Amino acid sequence: MAKICFLLADGYEDSEMKNPYEAMKEAGHEADVVGLEKGAELKGKKGTVSYTSDYFISEVKADDYDAVIIPGGSAPEALRVHEEVVQFVKQANDQGKVIAGICHGPQVMISADILEGVNATSYMGIRDDLKNAGSNYFDQEVVVDGNIITSRTPKDEPAFIKEILNKL
């Protein structure tokens, strides 16, 4: 059983949190919602789901987790400006932990400066950001490069989830 950190803030893409979260739990993995404050109710941008953060980012360490999942929507933009989030993702990458981002999720990876020379994909709107971060951009449903897993949009969730589970 793996322990997974879901990095989350308000405005995430509902299904990009809900479907991977449920899939990880169904597979027997432990999943924590980690945000910018503890006990906060975090709402999806479509309003179909909400989660309460289990931990404030400063309460957790990369050592505590086997994987970090970053759903898309506008949440990654809110997360990436917090140094504790950036350092957490950097440390997880340094430790070779699985880091998975879908849609805008790779924005946090860009801020953590972990995509140089890495094959990746994302929502088309941040394609140039990935390229400017030194990533090799591919327009495909899921790209796996070492410990990094990226996907584009909600329609790619099945492939995204499958690759995360394969890595765990």
Side-chain angles (χ1 to χ4, degrees):
M1 179 179 90
K3 189 169 181 186
I4 302 162
C5 170
F6 280 84
L7 283 178
L8 207 62
D10 270 331
Y12 54 88
E13 180 64 48
D14 299 41
S15 68
E16 292 173 357
M17 172 60 188
K18 180 181 185 281
N19 295 332
Y21 184 82
E22 289 178 359
M24 297 307 124
K25 302 274 276 185
E26 283 170 20
H29 300 301
E30 189 179 333
D32 289 341
V33 176
V34 176
L36 302 174
E37 57 183 288
K38 183 179 182 171
E41 183 185 358
L42 304 171
K43 296 181 177 87
K45 71 178 189 176
K46 294 190 173 123
T48 64
V49 292
S50 73
Y51 294 85
T52 301
S53 57
D54 299 305
Y55 297 101
F56 173 52
I57 187 66
S58 67
E59 296 178 300
V60 297
K61 296 184 202 62
D63 299 355
D64 300 334
Y65 296 97
D66 301 297
V68 178
I69 298 177
I70 311 164
S74 60
E77 189 70 38
L79 291 166
R80 75 189 296 195
V81 298
H82 290 272
E83 190 57 29
E84 291 144 317
V85 172
V86 170
Q87 289 304 316
F88 176 83
V89 172
K90 243 183 228 211
Q91 290 165 358
N93 186 63
D94 289 347
Q95 295 170 11
K97 306 291 174 79
V98 172
I99 302 174
I102 186 168
C103 191
H104 285 78
Q107 285 179 312
V108 179
M109 298 178 200
I110 291 168
S111 293
D113 199 24
I114 63 169
L115 293 179
E116 178 77 38
V118 173
N119 296 328
T121 194
S122 68
Y123 172 69
M124 184 62 77
I126 64 166
R127 172 194 62 197
D128 293 342
D129 302 327
L130 257 70
K131 289 178 179 179
N132 290 335
S135 177
N136 305 308
Y137 181 83
F138 293 89
D139 184 14
Q140 57 193 60
E141 64 180 0
V142 65
V143 175
V144 180
D145 189 340
N147 61 313
I148 307 282
I149 302 169
T150 51
S151 276
R152 300 173 302 191
T153 65
K155 70 177 174 37
D156 300 327
E157 288 167 20
F160 181 66
I161 291 165
K162 178 178 177 263
E163 291 301 338
I164 295 168
L165 290 171
N166 284 345
K167 281 281 185 191
L168 296 174

